[in-house]
């Protein structure tokens, strides 16, 4: 597959003026129907596209337009896709990873930032941006002490119309600080509340200093949540203590933490929101190809698959089609559904990243906690 | 009685009062606005007549603060209704799934039509059972708590009656339909103001009909399925109203419209957009200028009758 724009450049005079004109007239990457072309301008020995799309080679070489310092690679990118990538520029035998200098779209995450390519038709949702008409909630810091992990800091989101005399649903978010930073969680809560799509709710953002251990089906984590965190929040805040009003949420290992805590305490959490869960399992034996960190996860998911139990009432599961975990997530959904739990599963043409998780929040939260939208006719 | 459409973008309740020749004071209900109930200045200016807000939402807060036992019982009843609604909703979802699965079978068209009819009957049955459970819950509550005999309730009802007696008409605005329904019921507003002229917009119009259906074809998740909320006051009979169709109804979804209209038959289904009017006397619709939904799936814009 070759981009029309590149062919025109290659067939033209290829003078510096023609190249300047080529860059002045376009935005990059170039999207032409289902084809997307990554372009780089500069001297180098080689350029590689580095991306994290399961099913495609993770490193692909760009081709130079002969007689110029323009490099390109055309890929098929289905409509509404979103892909994060970097470029590896090789000079003097050494490769340097960088964001695409021609692409203004960036996605930040705990490791820095990536460039983002959008397939035709992808539009960042409007509800992720601050709406001047929506009243912002308040985020307070709270320190909670407990025997399991000692003193831990959590952040608490209180809706704009918070009143002590009301009772609110409680959402507990694993890696909540990252959700705030990289997935616009605070703004999204403000906006969806304003649009009546979710009810006013109290949201507790937790984080763990040792998440790969604590989140991997660790009894201590379940105990921390159910015996320490929730009771302390219920004492400190007007939280609705019915299971239907309690939700655990997380992405990746955070989703494992949510599912395993609910599994260890069936009925305590009535709602779960699981994004791109690292639900590794094996069909035979206990060896897994993802490494020893996943061993407790595999043991847990194997057990769950062998004896599924209804642990919550409603579970929202989402996963990106371009991440390797799609296989595990697709496999888990019928297991959960077979128990009678109400399970909603969404796939996105996206990868294992914060903007994928951000883009699914409206559908997930409003399904788990429908706001008063259906009741209001003005 | 005049039923009106949404008032947010372009309020026309004042125009409706003028058309009906109302010039005296009106009793105003904005309880559907909940905490914003008292933000009525702009509305009153639009009405063009003197208005007294009955403050049913604020009164309910005062009432529950004064009568804790009743407050607890009311809360418990609402929790029960919410749970009943949740279970009804689960059944509804499954009934819709079944109807969908049946509708795509390749069988004799006559048999398929019969089965589609059965699917609608199943939905009607679910709605009917749900509404009866709501009725039973309200009846048990009324019987046990005898609202009219409770001091705090009687005090508020007497005050409301005085305000209504001094008014020429009652105007009920929209907002949160369940909240509005509950407050009007708590203070027996339709009993107190039975003989008055009524003007009701959006959610206000919904509560004055017999059956209230919640609906939204563009919810933030999945597809919307209309659901019966509860019985209304029945001041207008054989009519289901759907306010704000522009934002809430997929008007080109003929099968969805057909299914809904057949489900609520023999009631007529009126969609109330801005400027809509439905006139009624003694519970019967006497004239209308609105959109109408038909059993064959047609969404008739600007229907008059």
């Amino acid at each position: 597959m070759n981009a029309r724009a590149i062919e025109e450049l290659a067939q033209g005079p290829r003078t510096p003026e023609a190249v300047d004109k080529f860059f002045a007239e376009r935005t990059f990457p170039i999207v032409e129907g289902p084809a997307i072309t990554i372009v780089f301008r500069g001297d180098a020995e080689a350029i590689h596209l580095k991306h994290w799309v399961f099913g495609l080679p993770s490193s692909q070489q760009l081709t130079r337009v002969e007689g110029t310092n323009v490099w390109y690679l055309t890929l098929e990118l289905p409509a509404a896709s979103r892909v994060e990538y970097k470029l590896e520029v090789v000079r003097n035998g050494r490769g340097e990873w960088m964001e695409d200098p021609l692409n203004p779209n960036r996605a930040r995450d705990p490791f820095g930032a990536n460039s983002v390519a959008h397939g035709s038709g992808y539009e960042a949702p409007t509800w992720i941006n601050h709406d001047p008409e929506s009243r912002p909630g308040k985020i307070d810091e709270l320190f909670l002490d407990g025997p399991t992990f000692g003193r831990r800091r959590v952040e608490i989101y209180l809706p704009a119309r918070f009143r002590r005399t009301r009772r609110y649903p409680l959402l507990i978010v694993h890696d909540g600080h990252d959700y705030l930073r990289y997935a616009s969680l605070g703004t999204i809560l403000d906006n969806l509340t304003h649009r009546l799509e979710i009810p006013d709710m109290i949201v507790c953002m937790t984080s763990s200093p040792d998440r790969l251990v604590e989140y991997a089906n660790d009894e201590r984590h379940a105990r921390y949540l159910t015996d320490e965190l929730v009771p302390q929040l219920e004492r400190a805040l007007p939280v609705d203590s019915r299971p239907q009003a309690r939700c655990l949420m997380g992405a990746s290992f955070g989703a494992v933490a949510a599912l395993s805590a609910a599994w260890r305490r069936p009925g305590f959490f009535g709602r779960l929101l699981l994004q791109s869960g690292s639900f590794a399992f094996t069909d035979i034996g206990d060896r897994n190809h993802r490494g020893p960190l996943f061993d407790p996860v595999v043991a847990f998911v194997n057990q769950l698959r062998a004896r599924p139990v209804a642990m919550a009432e409603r579970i929202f599961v989402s996963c990106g089609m371009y991440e390797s975990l799609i296989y595990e997530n697709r496999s888990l959904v019928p297991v959960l559904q077979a128990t009678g739990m109400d399970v909603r599963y969404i796939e996105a043409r996206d990868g294992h990243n914060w903007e994928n998780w951000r883009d699914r929040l409206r559908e997930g939260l409003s399904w788990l906690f429908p706001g008063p939208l259906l009741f209001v006719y003005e | 009685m005049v039923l009106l459409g949404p008032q947010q973008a372009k309020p026309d309740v004042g125009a409706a009062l003028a058309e009906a020749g109302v010039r005296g004071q009106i009793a105003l209900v904005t309880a559907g606005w909940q905490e914003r109930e008292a933000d009525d200045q702009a509305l009153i200016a639009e009405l063009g007549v003197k208005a007294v807000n009955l403050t049913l939402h604020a009164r309910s807060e005062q009432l529950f603060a004064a009568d804790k036992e009743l407050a607890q019982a009311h809360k418990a009843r609402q929790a029960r209704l919410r749970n009943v609604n949740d279970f009804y909703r689960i059944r509804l979802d499954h009934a819709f799934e079944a109807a969908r699965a049946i509708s795509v079978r390749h069988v004799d068209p006559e048999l398929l039509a019969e089965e589609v009819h059965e699917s609608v009957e199943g939905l009607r049955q679910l709605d009917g059972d749900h509404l009866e459970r709501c009725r039973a819950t309200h009846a048990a509550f009324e019987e046990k708590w005898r609202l009219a005999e409770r001091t705090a309730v009687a005090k508020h009802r007497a005050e409301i009656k005085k305000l209504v007696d001094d008014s020429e008409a009652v105007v009920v605005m929209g907002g949160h339909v369940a909240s509005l329904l509950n407050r009007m019921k708590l203070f027996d507003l339709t009993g107190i103001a039975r003989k008055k002229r009524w003007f009701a917009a959006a959610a206000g119009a919904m509560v004055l009909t017999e059956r209230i259906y919640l609906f939204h074809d563009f919810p933030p998740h999945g597809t919307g399925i209309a659901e019966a909320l509860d019985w209304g006051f029945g001041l207008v009979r054989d009519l289901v109203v759907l306010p704000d169709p522009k934002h809430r109804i997929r008007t080109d979804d003929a099968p969805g419209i057909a299914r809904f209209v057949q489900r609520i038959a023999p009631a007529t289904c009126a969609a109330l957009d801005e400027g809509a009017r439905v006139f009624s006397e003694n519970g019967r619709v006497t004239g209308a200028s609105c959109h109408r939904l038909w059993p064959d799936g047609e969404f008739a814009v600007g229907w008059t009758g």
Side-chain angles (χ1 to χ4, degrees), chain B residues 115-168:
Chain B
E115 291 300 328
V116 168
H117 175 74
E118 284 302 308
S119 295
V120 172
E121 282 304 306
L123 296 171
R124 287 167 62 89
Q125 180 84 40
L126 277 177
D127 292 350
D129 289 350
H130 174 65
L131 289 168
E132 281 316 306
R133 292 188 74 190
C134 291
R135 194 197 293 280
T137 303
H138 290 304
F141 181 83
E142 283 291 328
E143 193 182 322
K144 181 162 183 194
W145 295 99
R146 300 185 178 281
L147 293 181
E149 295 167 20
R150 299 188 79 84
T151 315
V153 178
K155 173 182 158 286
H156 281 288
R157 286 186 179 181
E159 288 173 9
I160 291 166
K161 183 169 185 319
K162 171 126 193 11
L163 296 172
V164 169
D165 285 347
D166 292 342
S167 302
E168 193 178 335

Side-chain angles (χ1 to χ4, degrees), chain B residues 57-176:
Chain B
H57 192 271
R59 284 177 189 277
S60 69
E61 304 266 298
Q62 292 163 19
L63 172 63
F64 292 141
D67 190 339
K68 296 267 193 292
E69 198 184 26
L70 181 64
Q72 277 301 109
H74 185 268
K75 202 170 155 192
R77 183 193 71 179
Q78 290 310 109
R80 180 185 161 80
L81 285 171
R82 265 197 301 277
N83 280 332
V84 167
N85 185 268
D86 278 352
F87 294 129
Y88 158 65
R89 180 74 209 192
I90 291 170
R91 293 191 175 98
L92 207 55
D93 284 344
H94 285 269
F96 258 83
E97 280 303 307
R100 206 154 60 99
I102 288 167
S103 71
V104 296
R105 292 297 168 100
H106 294 278
V107 293
D108 164 32
E110 202 177 316
L111 175 59
L112 191 61
E114 269 176 41
E115 291 300 328
V116 168
H117 175 74
E118 284 302 308
S119 295
V120 172
E121 282 304 306
L123 296 171
R124 287 167 62 89
Q125 180 84 40
L126 277 177
D127 292 350
D129 289 350
H130 174 65
L131 289 168
E132 281 316 306
R133 292 188 74 190
C134 291
R135 194 197 293 280
T137 303
H138 290 304
F141 181 83
E142 283 291 328
E143 193 182 322
K144 181 162 183 194
W145 295 99
R146 300 185 178 281
L147 293 181
E149 295 167 20
R150 299 188 79 84
T151 315
V153 178
K155 173 182 158 286
H156 281 288
R157 286 186 179 181
E159 288 173 9
I160 291 166
K161 183 169 185 319
K162 171 126 193 11
L163 296 172
V164 169
D165 285 347
D166 292 342
S167 302
E168 193 178 335
V170 179
V171 171
V172 186
M173 299 303 290
H176 195 292

Side-chain angles (χ1 to χ4, degrees), chain A residues 161 163 166-167 197 242 244 271 313-314 342 344 362-364 366-367 370 372-378, chain B residues 6-8 33 35-36 61 83 174-178 202-203 206 214-216 220-222 227 229 243 248:
Chain A
R161 288 175 300 185
R163 293 202 301 179
R166 303 251 155 181
R167 297 262 154 205
E197 293 180 0
R242 293 172 308 134
Q244 299 97 303
R271 305 279 184 270
E313 291 179 359
R314 280 185 171 201
D342 207 355
R344 189 174 182 85
R362 180 186 184 219
E363 191 163 9
S366 68
W367 183 69
L373 180 68
L374 205 57
F375 288 87
V376 175
Y377 305 80
E378 292 201 318
Chain B
Q7 299 289 307
Q8 259 197 322
W33 299 355
E35 283 80 13
R36 296 183 289 112
E61 304 266 298
N83 280 332
H176 195 292
V177 65
M206 295 166 88
L214 306 177
F215 65 101
H216 204 306
H221 55 80
E227 61 187 70
L229 171 71
R248 303 179 84 113

